[in-house]
């Protein structure tokens, strides 16, 4: 209802009859009806019948063909009748009454066979459930009745349909387009309903029989197959009118806070509504004409071929107009939804920028759940919980899709179970799926399998992650496919957008996982076996504590591995110091690395990671190195000035080569490393330098001198940098000769 006082242009007895009868906008000697009723090239009447009766759904390739060139001039003429007073009338209650009338008059079968006795219990219930807006119905009652009489008068006078339609539009010039349609539709439905009341009761009630006699109506339509067929076509057309009227009203109901009524998109979408309103009126007039022609026909009523064709043609035309308007409405709804999402997205961004007393507002914005709902699953206790269990705690949001690599999950398990500070924070898994489509059964099983394997919290179902939060995660936190670990402090502030690298490097020692804590840990760190191997394998810490010489080696050339391990062990035996060797493979372990593991274990060449979990530990070793590189880069450190980055670069260069390599360490400070060919050359020369190792502590320093002093004439080093930070340094120097390395783009397919 509008805020201004309504004006009713039809409250006066003065109707513009002269204008109604005077409009002609056609060529001399030709009526607008003749322009519009040339049938499309359909093959047979059966096609016409099915076209008129089909549901108003679906899409066509060329919807605008029903807004032809002739309609451009017509549209101007129709717009010329329009002078709205901008009073917003809610005409849906009136349309509901119209739809009730059509429902009760649907067909002779409905009227005669599915009738409801006027005083039955179901009839009374149906009447009581009809909640109409009495105010709007009373307001429009007078113009509806005036238009009803106008329709009868114009059809009885034999006026041209185009002129009559334009006249009705002029009579309702002050109304909005949806109100014009509903008033005229209601005016017709009054006559239509009265006809069916008389037709139905004329064989039962004297009053109805007398009225039917005076109108000389057919005694009953029920047994007249030709008449029933024609009324079915009329009803199909009225259904089309009803459907198109509904969609016109939907345009007016679009929320103005999300789309401006004066916007170009709205203007484009509603451009054909005036013409559509005109053809709705023409359709109503065609139905009214058939109804009026029954008066005085008795048993001899026969519809003409042109009348039948007009009904079918108009239904077909309205069908395509509906399709066009439906497409335009979908476009506008898409714009509205986008604007709603943008508004919600802006609100979520502001929420993250606002200070809070706890983290509950943030968590509720990410996970949509009712107050009484338990939307998170405790992976340890296997029960659902309320969000309140995370209140004022550090919450680590593990964000992944459903293709979470098993090695990452397994290593996270390892770190989580070794966590001595677990009471300080909680992990919450947020699985990101496409919520535009339903999850398949495979995805459902995948989710529940993953959730069941996690000891920490998870959302109870991926659908509980708010779509706006998903957009925030993708656009602000830059989640694409690789897992990230976002840290929220007890007040819900983001303290680290991705703590996975620092988690891989230091585990829970990095708590509370802030950038400041990460930088502090780097300041405390030096390049040694502790940093390189950490607690990847519990045996390494035992070896370090026992002051043993430790060798980490890699590569996938099993012949080199055999020669290297046997020579190194022979030298250790000669010098009488304990040597512990462990194979760490390559950064992208495939079948060759797996086979090397099996051979090394079978031939007892050295220690290996557990055969069951070898892939996880090999992956962990190399992902830690990559995480160190990325972490250093994010803190602005460079290879030129940072010793640890230089060492990482050398290790990554080793991994990029085809040959083996090794790192030797004793204690927490002495380390040396070398490529496979250099190491074997140095070992072959053991007789020249072995006597200098008069104590186990001197083995690593002497070996380092020999490796450093050996400069091969030719070398070819390759470096593959971790690329998930998006940072590629402009220059990288060779770890062997110090020259700037050439930069290439590499594409690789390795089936192993």
């Amino acid at each position: 209802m509008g805020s201004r006082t309504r004006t009713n242009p039809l409250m006066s007895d003065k109707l513009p009859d002269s204008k109604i009868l005077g409009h002609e906008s056609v060529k001399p000697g030709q009526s607008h009806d003749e322009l519009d009723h040339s049938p499309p090239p359909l093959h047979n009447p059966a096609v016409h019948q099915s076209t008129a009766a089909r549901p108003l759904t679906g899409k066509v390739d060329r919807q605008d063909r029903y807004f032809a060139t002739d309609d451009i001039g017509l549209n101007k003429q129709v717009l010329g009748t329009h002078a709205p007073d901008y009073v917003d009338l809610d005409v849906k209650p009136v349309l509901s009454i119209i739809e009730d009338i059509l429902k009760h008059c649907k067909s002779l079968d409905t009227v005669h066979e599915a009738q409801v006795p006027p005083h039955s219990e179901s009839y009374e219930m149906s009447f009581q459930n009809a909640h109409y807006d009495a105010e709007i119905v009373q307001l429009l009652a007078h113009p509806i009745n005036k238009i009803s009489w106008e329709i009868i008068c114009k059809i009885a006078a034999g006026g041209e349909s185009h002129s009559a339609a334009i006249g009705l539009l002029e009579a309702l010039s002050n109304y909005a387009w949806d109100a014009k349609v509903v008033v005229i539709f209601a005016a017709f439905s009054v006559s239509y309903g009265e006809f069916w009341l008389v037709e139905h009761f004329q064989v039962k009630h004297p009053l109805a029989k007398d009225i039917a006699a005076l109108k000389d109506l057919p005694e009953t339509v029920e047994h007249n197959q030709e008449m029933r067929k024609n009324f079915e076509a009329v009803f199909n057309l009225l259904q089309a009118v009803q459907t198109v009227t509904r969609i016109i009203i939907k345009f007016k109901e679009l929320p103005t806070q999300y789309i401006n009524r004066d916007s170009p998109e709205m203007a484009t979408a509603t451009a054909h509504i005036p013409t559509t309103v005109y053809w709705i009126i023409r359709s109503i007039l065609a139905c009214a004409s058939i109804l009026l022609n029954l008066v005085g026909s008795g048993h001899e009523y026969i519809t003409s071929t042109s009348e039948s064709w007009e009904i079918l043609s108009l239904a077909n035309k309205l069908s395509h107009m509906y399709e066009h308007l439906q497409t335009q409405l979908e476009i506008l709804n898409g714009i509205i939804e986008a604007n709603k999402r943008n508004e919600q997205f802006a609100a979520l961004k502001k929420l993250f920028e606002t200070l809070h007393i706890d983290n509950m507002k943030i968590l509720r914005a990410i996970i949509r759940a009712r107050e009484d709902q338990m939307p998170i699953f405790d992976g340890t206790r296997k029960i659902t919980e309320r969000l309140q269990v995370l209140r004022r705690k550090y919450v680590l949001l593990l964000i992944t899709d459903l293709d979470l690599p098993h090695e990452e999950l397994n290593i996270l398990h390892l770190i989580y179970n070794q966590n001595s500070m677990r009471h300080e924070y909680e992990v919450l898994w947020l699985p990101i799926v496409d919520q535009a489509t339903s999850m398949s059964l495979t995805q459902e099983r995948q989710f529940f399998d993953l959730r069941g394997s996690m000891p920490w919290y998870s959302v109870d179902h991926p659908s509980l992650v708010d779509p706006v939060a998903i957009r925030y995660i993708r656009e602000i936190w830059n989640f694409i496919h690789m897992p990230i670990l976002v840290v929220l402090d007890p007040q819900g502030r983001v303290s680290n957008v991705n703590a996975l690298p620092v988690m891989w490097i230091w585990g829970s020692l990095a708590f509370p996982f802030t950038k400041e804590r990460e930088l502090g840990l780097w300041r405390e760190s030096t390049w040694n076996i502790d940093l390189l191997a950490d607690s990847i394998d519990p045996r390494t810490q035992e070896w370090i504590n026992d002051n043993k010489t430790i060798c980490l080696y890699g590569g996938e050339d099993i012949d080199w591995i055999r020669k290297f391990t046997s020579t190194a062990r022979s030298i250790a035996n000669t010098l009488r110091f304990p040597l512990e060797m462990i194979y760490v493979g390559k950064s992208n372990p495939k079948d060759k690395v797996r086979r090397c593991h099996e051979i090394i274990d079978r031939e007892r060449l050295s220690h290996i990671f557990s055969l069951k979990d070898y892939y996880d530990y090999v992956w962990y070793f190399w992902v830690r190195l990559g995480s160190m590189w990325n972490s250093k880069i994010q803190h602005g450190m460079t290879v030129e000035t940072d010793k640890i980055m230089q060492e990482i670069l050398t290790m990554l260069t080793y991994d990029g080569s085809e040959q083996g390599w090794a790192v030797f360490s004793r204690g927490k400070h002495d380390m040396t490393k070398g490529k496979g060919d250099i190491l074997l050359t140095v070992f072959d020369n053991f007789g020249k330098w072995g006597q200098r190792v008069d104590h186990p502590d001197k083995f690593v320093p002497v070996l380092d001198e020999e490796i450093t002093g050996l400069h091969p004439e030719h070398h070819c080093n390759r470096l593959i940098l971790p690329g998930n930070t998006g940072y590629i340094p402009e220059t990288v120097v060779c770890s062997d000769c110090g020259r700037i390395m050439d930069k290439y783009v590499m594409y690789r397919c390795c089936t192993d």
Side-chain angles (χ1 to χ4, degrees), residues 274-316:
T275 307
T276 304
V277 168
Y278 168 85
W279 285 110
I280 289 175
I281 296 172
R282 286 285 297 269
S283 300
I284 292 171
L285 289 173
C287 295
S289 176
I290 289 180
L291 203 64
L292 191 62
N293 286 342
L294 284 173
V295 176
S297 65
H299 294 282
E300 301 178 356
Y301 174 75
I302 301 175
T303 54
S304 67
T305 303
S306 62
E307 278 184 328
S308 298
W309 167 248
E310 182 181 23
I311 294 295
L312 295 172
S313 178
L314 286 167
N316 193 43

Side-chain angles (χ1 to χ4, degrees), residues 451-596:
R451 193 190 73 171
S453 69
M454 295 177 176
W456 45 77
Y457 288 106
S458 310
V459 290
D460 197 41
H461 193 271
S463 60
L464 293 172
V465 184
D466 193 278
V468 179
I470 292 177
R471 178 182 171 187
Y472 190 93
I473 288 167
R474 293 190 185 280
E475 295 186 15
I476 305 301
W477 293 343
N478 298 315
F479 170 77
I480 300 175
H481 173 68
M482 298 299 292
I484 61 174
L485 191 68
V486 178
V487 181
L488 302 180
D489 72 9
Q491 286 72 46
R493 292 173 298 191
V494 177
S495 55
N496 196 331
V497 173
N498 188 12
L500 271 182
V502 71
M503 182 74 84
W504 298 141
I505 301 168
W506 289 292
S508 297
L509 185 63
F511 179 82
F513 310 105
T514 61
K515 290 297 180 182
E516 293 74 19
R517 174 59 177 160
E518 184 179 2
L519 188 58
L521 287 170
W522 276 127
R523 291 187 181 125
E524 298 168 8
S525 300
T526 57
W527 182 253
N528 56 28
I529 195 67
D530 234 355
L531 179 63
L532 179 60
D534 189 54
S535 56
I536 292 176
D537 189 302
R539 291 172 294 185
T540 57
Q541 284 300 319
E542 295 175 9
W543 299 335
I544 293 170
N545 294 336
D546 292 341
N547 203 29
K548 291 183 177 181
T549 301
I550 301 170
C551 173
L552 307 180
Y553 71 98
E556 54 190 10
D557 182 348
I558 191 60
D559 292 332
W560 178 89
I561 290 172
R562 285 190 176 106
K563 187 172 183 180
F564 167 76
T565 53
S566 63
T567 306
R569 195 168 300 282
S570 174
I571 291 174
N573 290 336
T574 300
L575 296 175
R576 297 182 180 180
F577 65 84
L579 174 64
E580 304 291 355
M581 293 186 289
I582 188 165
Y583 177 63
V584 296
K586 288 181 70 69
S587 62
N588 190 21
K590 295 184 181 296
D591 283 346
K592 283 185 180 180
V593 174
R594 180 183 57 80
R595 288 194 295 268
C596 287

Side-chain angles (χ1 to χ4, degrees), residues 158-372:
E160 191 217 358
S161 298
H162 171 68
S163 299
I166 293 296
L168 292 174
L169 285 169
E170 287 187 331
L172 297 170
S173 62
N174 288 358
Y175 287 88
W177 295 110
D178 62 317
K180 296 180 203 285
V181 170
V182 170
V183 168
I184 295 171
F185 198 6
F188 165 78
S189 67
V190 170
S191 300
Y192 189 66
E194 289 173 349
F195 166 80
W196 283 114
L197 281 174
V198 172
E199 197 284 330
H200 176 64
F201 286 107
Q202 65 173 308
V203 295
K204 302 177 182 179
H205 199 285
L207 177 59
K209 186 174 183 179
D210 289 343
I211 294 173
L214 290 177
K215 290 194 172 191
D216 194 18
L217 296 175
E219 185 172 330
T220 177
V221 180
E222 182 180 8
H223 303 298
N224 188 326
Q225 294 301 317
E226 180 65 25
M227 192 174 296
R228 286 187 64 182
K229 180 180 176 182
N230 290 331
F231 268 101
E232 286 174 5
V234 167
F235 181 76
N236 288 333
L237 179 55
L238 292 175
Q239 284 288 93
V241 168
Q242 174 184 322
T243 306
V244 179
T245 301
R246 274 283 177 193
I247 202 168
I248 289 173
I249 291 174
K250 286 181 180 178
F251 279 92
K252 192 185 76 171
E253 293 177 332
L254 294 175
T256 54
Q257 67 267 38
Y258 298 115
I259 189 163
N260 193 320
R261 297 203 183 280
D262 298 324
S263 66
E265 295 85 0
M266 180 68 87
T268 300
T270 58
H272 292 304
I273 284 182
T275 307
T276 304
V277 168
Y278 168 85
W279 285 110
I280 289 175
I281 296 172
R282 286 285 297 269
S283 300
I284 292 171
L285 289 173
C287 295
S289 176
I290 289 180
L291 203 64
L292 191 62
N293 286 342
L294 284 173
V295 176
S297 65
H299 294 282
E300 301 178 356
Y301 174 75
I302 301 175
T303 54
S304 67
T305 303
S306 62
E307 278 184 328
S308 298
W309 167 248
E310 182 181 23
I311 294 295
L312 295 172
S313 178
L314 286 167
N316 193 43
K317 192 177 188 76
L318 289 185
S319 172
H320 289 282
M321 288 180 167
Y322 168 84
E323 291 167 2
H324 172 82
L325 292 177
Q326 178 68 29
T327 300
Q328 296 302 314
L329 188 63
E330 288 172 0
I331 292 171
L332 292 181
N333 280 328
I335 294 171
I336 290 168
E337 286 304 312
N339 289 338
K340 282 183 180 178
R341 289 193 296 269
N342 289 339
E343 181 181 76
Q344 293 166 349
F345 184 66
L348 184 58
K349 287 175 67 176
K350 186 175 181 181
L351 190 68
F352 271 103
E353 294 165 0
T354 305
L355 294 177
H356 306 285
I357 60 172
D358 59 30
N359 54 5
M360 294 312 298
K361 285 187 177 180
I362 295 295
L363 291 174
R364 289 194 183 103
I366 295 172
I367 300 174
R368 50 182 179 182
R370 302 184 308 273
E371 283 293 331
D372 61 337

